[in-house]
């Protein structure tokens, strides 16, 4: 179980922006996490999903999401 204080949401990236990815993205945000990256080889799918969540960046590059400057603390794989 992950405990965190409101306002200090953990930043996560989601890999796979299809139907299951969209469901998981909603669950991630509803659980209080911050969805920072939507990652998919189909960049249009990543863009569509990212547009639904404030501050979420669409990319086809997992390297971008995992770079030290990204501040991502967790990854959901929905591929």
């Amino acid at each position: 179980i992950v405990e965190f204080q409101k306002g200090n949401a953990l930043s996560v990236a989601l890999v796979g922006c299809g139907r299951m990815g969209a469901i998981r993205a909603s669950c991630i945000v509803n659980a209080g996490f911050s969805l920072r990256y939507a990652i998919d080889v189909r960049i249009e799918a990543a863009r569509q999903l990212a547009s639904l969540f404030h501050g979420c960046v669409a990319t086809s590059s997992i390297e971008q999401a995992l770079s030290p400057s990204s501040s991502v603390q967790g990854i959901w794989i929905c591929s």
Side-chain angles (χ1 to χ4, degrees):
I1 297 174
V2 176
E3 293 185 28
F4 58 95
Q5 295 179 347
K6 198 137 179 104
N8 293 327
L10 295 174
S11 297
V12 299
L14 178 113
V15 179
C17 297
R19 184 174 57 192
M20 187 53 66
I23 292 168
R24 293 291 177 234
S26 293
C27 293
I28 289 166
V29 172
N30 289 338
F33 295 94
S34 173
L35 184 60
R36 303 291 294 152
Y37 287 91
I39 307 163
D40 201 297
V41 294
R42 298 170 302 122
I43 189 63
E44 193 51 47
R47 286 184 184 130
Q48 185 176 7
L49 186 65
S51 72
L52 301 175
F53 301 96
H54 177 72
C56 185
V57 175
T59 184
S60 60
S61 168
I62 196 165
E63 290 83 6
Q64 178 185 358
L66 298 181
S67 72
S69 64
S70 74
S71 72
V72 167
Q73 298 165 302
I75 299 174
W76 258 266
I77 300 176
C78 303
S79 172

